[in-house]
Amino acid sequence: MKKAEIVAGVSKQIVWWMGERQKKLAELRHETMSVNPFLLPLIFGIHQFEDFDELAEFLVAAHLSTGYATGFGKLIDEKILPNVFGTIKLDKATRRTAPLSMSAFDEIDHIIPSASNHATKLLSLKAGRWTIQLTMAVQLNKAFEELLKLRDSRRLGTFTFDEIAVGVFYGTKDTLTDKYDILRGINRGANHDVTNLTEHVHVYAGREFWTWLNGGEQQTQEWVLEGISQGFEAAEKSMGSLIDLLADFRKEFSQQFQFSVRPDRTIDWKAIIKKING
């Protein structure tokens, strides 16, 4: 794909995503926040906060940061890859059709179609270096092995593919954990029950992933980033800054715990744990 298509496409999806962030802040959905009453006094002490409002600001920022990371991962997976790069997202509807309904495809997120409209590549998408642990790595190896056996025995009918890729959309291959080797069947140190699939299963990370996704174009990730910047600017022009909504979100959350603040501004931690734990 060319630069203009990618920048425009990504920008459109970012405008949508910013609108979703605005809705969440406007709804003041504090019920999605998980507050650990045992951890609160430790955070308060470590950061030497002076009052509960400062603690609340920290907690809200941490909550929103986690939401941003999760939401952005879904944006890449569900919107940008299929709508901008033309992948086929294996959502519930797509998985109802054979052979995609087979359990062997459970670990596959996208199909990368060829020009002839036949699937040539399968993609399992991951966010970063810590996305998979040992159990998942072994499970991926087994699933990929099964897919390759089904393909080679022609039990997938006319459906075929020439590569299984694990794509990590940020980071570099040399910073990935050894779990990304294990899923390909490479044992380093401990001997895990995996099959060597290195001829058919490849891992792409960071620039390498975006280059692979876009047919070898090295500047693809820069174009995606440019689209993100343009999308943010367009969203701010249409909906305005979210700074006031952020301030209201923090204020409303802090007010929920004002019952625990004593007249001298110290905090009654026991009152908080009673509210949360009963």
Side-chain angles (χ1 to χ4, degrees):
M1 293 186 65
K2 297 182 183 297
K3 177 181 179 179
E5 296 176 280
I6 292 176
V7 172
V10 171
S11 176
K12 179 180 178 181
Q13 299 306 322
I14 292 297
V15 170
W16 172 85
W17 189 79
M18 288 291 292
E20 294 300 298
R21 299 304 98 192
Q22 183 188 48
K23 288 178 186 176
K24 180 172 181 178
L25 289 172
E27 292 169 359
L28 296 173
R29 295 180 58 190
H30 297 126
E31 70 276 6
T32 62
M33 290 186 63
S34 178
V35 179
N36 182 342
F38 300 102
L39 187 57
L40 293 185
L42 296 175
I43 295 174
F44 191 89
I46 290 170
H47 289 267
Q48 297 186 10
F49 292 139
E50 294 186 359
D51 54 34
F52 190 87
D53 285 346
E54 291 186 357
L55 175 61
E57 183 173 359
F58 175 89
L59 295 175
V60 168
H63 169 72
L64 292 175
S65 179
T66 300
Y68 294 154
T70 302
F72 189 80
K74 292 185 68 175
L75 175 71
I76 294 289
D77 181 37
E78 299 177 5
K79 299 292 184 180
I80 290 180
L81 259 61
N83 295 340
V84 179
F85 290 93
T87 68
I88 299 173
K89 169 65 179 170
L90 296 192
D91 54 20
K92 289 183 179 180
T94 307
R95 292 182 188 276
R96 293 193 188 104
T97 59
L100 303 178
S101 56
M102 300 173 70
S103 61
F105 286 91
D106 287 352
E107 301 298 341
I108 302 300
D109 300 302
H110 295 263
I111 296 170
I112 314 297
S114 68
S116 58
N117 206 33
H118 292 291
T120 57
K121 302 182 189 303
L122 305 181
L123 171 64
S124 181
L125 184 67
K126 308 300 175 188
R129 60 182 299 189
W130 301 111
T131 302
I132 62 172
Q133 302 302 319
L134 177 59
T135 300
M136 182 181 289
V138 174
Q139 178 180 326
L140 285 167
N141 180 265
K142 300 301 181 188
F144 295 160
E145 181 184 18
E146 182 180 358
L147 277 170
L148 290 166
K149 287 180 177 179
L150 289 171
R151 180 197 66 179
D152 295 342
S153 65
R154 298 187 178 181
R155 289 167 59 192
L156 298 179
T158 58
F159 185 94
T160 189
F161 58 90
D162 59 10
E163 179 185 12
I164 298 175
V166 176
V168 186
F169 66 80
Y170 69 91
T172 57
K173 187 178 290 186
D174 61 337
T175 61
L176 298 179
T177 68
D178 64 340
K179 309 307 180 293
Y180 287 90
D181 284 334
I182 292 171
L183 67 82
R184 300 181 69 215
I186 302 172
N187 277 311
R188 302 193 187 281
N191 186 25
H192 304 290
D193 182 20
V194 291
T195 303
N196 190 324
L197 305 176
T198 53
E199 183 179 349
H200 307 283
V201 179
H202 303 98
V203 175
Y204 303 100
R207 179 184 297 278
E208 187 180 28
F209 165 69
W210 293 103
T211 298
W212 170 84
L213 183 66
N214 195 32
E217 174 51 63
Q218 291 282 328
Q219 295 301 306
T220 302
Q221 69 171 10
E222 279 77 18
W223 299 346
V224 171
L225 185 62
E226 186 173 335
I228 290 172
S229 297
Q230 287 192 13
F232 179 80
E233 291 174 3
E236 276 210 318
K237 285 181 180 179
S238 63
M239 69 180 63
S241 172
L242 301 184
I243 194 67
D244 290 338
L245 285 174
L246 285 166
D248 289 342
F249 191 94
R250 288 192 297 266
K251 182 179 178 180
E252 291 291 331
F253 175 75
S254 181
Q255 286 180 344
Q256 292 184 31
F257 291 89
Q258 289 304 308
F259 68 89
S260 68
V261 179
R262 302 185 182 99
D264 62 357
R265 297 175 67 195
T266 59
I267 301 170
D268 185 346
W269 303 113
K270 290 182 179 179
I272 293 178
I273 198 171
K274 184 176 180 180
K275 175 181 173 63
I276 294 174
N277 280 11

